[in-house]
């Protein structure tokens, strides 16, 4: 019986090690492919960068939560004359058996002519609807019930936030359910929570973000 237990535990350890090795190889291959994608775009590439790489990062909702934060596979350059980047962002919340990790790809734009009020936009879940009833901020648009039912929009200056959401912008979010955005000043972060496109989808991911960036910039 003791030998059986020992053998079972050994199998678990071996399986864990094999899974770790496979995961590391997948991440190494992802990094290699992202470097190739950056080269095709004529952009720069860094396997990992410090959080100070983008100014004011901790003022945005995505980057102000959790711990163990990391930016990886960062590719950066310009598109349509706008400073831009695509990168993987990892963070964790909780500890031990209550620890949850989040890993998403983010497209970032820094248009010179943009001046957004601070805001964050996320897909709305049941919990959001419940706490909104108790005063938790959720900026809704009475004439766009589809958008209002799908998204949680927040910002310290509600009227200024409302002013930037044109019909075209609201329509984009309605048609692209699950899109998340943090904005403020001339900085714009676009992503889908806990989702990472494959490296060969980088151009499509960038173009998707670029559509949103154009809609925000059309207000200026």
């Amino acid at each position: 019986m003791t030998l059986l237990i020992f053998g079972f535990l050994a199998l678990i350890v071996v399986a864990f090690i094999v899974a770790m090795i496979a995961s590391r190889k997948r991440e190494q291959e992802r990094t290699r492919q992202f470097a190739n994608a950056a080269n095709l775009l004529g952009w720069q590439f860094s396997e990992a960068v410090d959080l100070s790489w983008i100014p004011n990062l901790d003022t945005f909702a995505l980057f102000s939560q959790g711990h163990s934060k990391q930016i990886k596979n960062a590719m950066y350059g310009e598109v349509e004359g706008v400073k831009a980047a695509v990168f993987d962002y990892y963070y964790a919340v909780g500890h031990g058996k209550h620890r949850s990790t989040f890993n998403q790809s983010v497209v970032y734009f820094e248009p010179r002519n943009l001046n957004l009020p601070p805001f964050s936009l996320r897909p709305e879940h049941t919990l959001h609807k419940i706490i909104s009833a108790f005063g938790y901020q959720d900026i809704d648009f009475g004439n766009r019930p589809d958008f209002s039912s799908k998204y949680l929009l927040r910002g310290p200056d509600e009227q200024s936030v409302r002013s930037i959401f044109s019909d075209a912008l609201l329509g984009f979010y309605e048609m692209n359910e699950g899109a998340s955005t943090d904005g403020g000043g001339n900085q714009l972060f676009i992503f889908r929570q806990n989702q990472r496109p494959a490296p060969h989808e980088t151009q499509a991911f960038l173009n998707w973000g670029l559509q949103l960036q154009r809609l925000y910039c059309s207000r200026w």
Side-chain angles (χ1 to χ4, degrees):
M1 181 63 70
T2 302
L3 286 174
L4 285 174
I5 294 174
F6 179 79
F8 178 71
L9 292 175
L11 283 174
I12 292 176
V13 171
V14 169
F16 177 77
I17 293 172
V18 169
M20 289 292 291
I21 293 172
S23 176
R24 181 173 296 179
K25 286 184 176 180
R26 285 195 300 270
E27 290 303 309
Q28 289 173 341
E29 178 61 17
R30 181 177 178 85
T31 296
R32 186 189 68 80
Q33 292 186 31
F34 258 102
N36 289 339
N39 185 56
L40 289 173
L41 285 170
W43 285 13
Q44 300 296 311
F45 177 80
S46 293
E47 184 174 346
V49 296
D50 189 82
L51 292 177
S52 62
W53 176 58
I54 295 177
N56 309 314
L57 205 64
D58 60 356
T59 64
F60 296 94
L62 175 63
F63 307 97
S64 64
Q65 55 192 325
H67 57 87
S68 305
K69 305 171 186 179
Q70 299 177 56
I71 295 178
K72 296 183 177 180
N73 301 324
M75 46 190 293
Y76 46 96
E78 285 194 1
V79 57
E80 297 184 357
V82 175
K83 183 178 177 181
V86 176
F87 56 89
D88 289 339
Y89 176 64
Y90 167 97
Y91 69 95
V93 295
H95 299 275
K97 65 180 181 180
H98 301 294
R99 179 185 174 107
S100 298
T101 60
F102 298 85
N103 207 349
Q104 49 268 300
S105 294
V106 180
V107 59
Y108 169 71
F109 297 102
E110 196 176 298
R112 286 184 290 271
N113 63 333
L114 196 62
N115 187 22
L116 297 169
F119 75 93
S120 67
L121 180 132
R122 299 289 187 274
E124 187 169 8
H125 303 300
T126 302
L127 178 61
H128 295 144
K129 297 180 186 297
I130 293 172
I131 60 179
S132 292
F134 294 92
Y136 188 78
Q137 185 190 35
D138 181 10
I139 303 172
D140 287 331
F141 294 81
N143 62 330
R144 302 303 288 253
D146 194 25
F147 172 88
S148 298
S149 67
K150 290 179 178 179
Y151 287 99
L152 175 73
L153 176 61
R154 309 189 72 220
D157 186 342
E158 180 172 333
Q159 287 306 118
S160 294
V161 172
R162 285 183 177 278
S163 71
I164 64 173
F165 278 81
S166 64
D167 283 342
L169 190 54
L170 292 167
F172 182 95
Y173 283 109
E174 289 171 353
M175 296 297 294
N176 290 267
E177 192 170 352
S180 295
T181 308
D182 286 342
N186 70 333
Q187 295 178 275
L188 194 62
F189 301 86
I190 302 163
F191 56 99
R192 292 184 184 275
Q193 289 182 297
N194 219 23
Q195 293 187 29
R196 298 193 307 172
H200 71 268
E201 297 172 324
T202 299
Q203 184 67 67
F205 181 51
L206 177 61
N207 290 342
W208 174 71
L210 194 57
Q211 293 179 63
L212 257 180
Q213 185 265 157
R214 292 186 191 120
L215 288 171
Y216 279 105
C217 286
S218 69
R219 306 290 290 180
W220 273 266

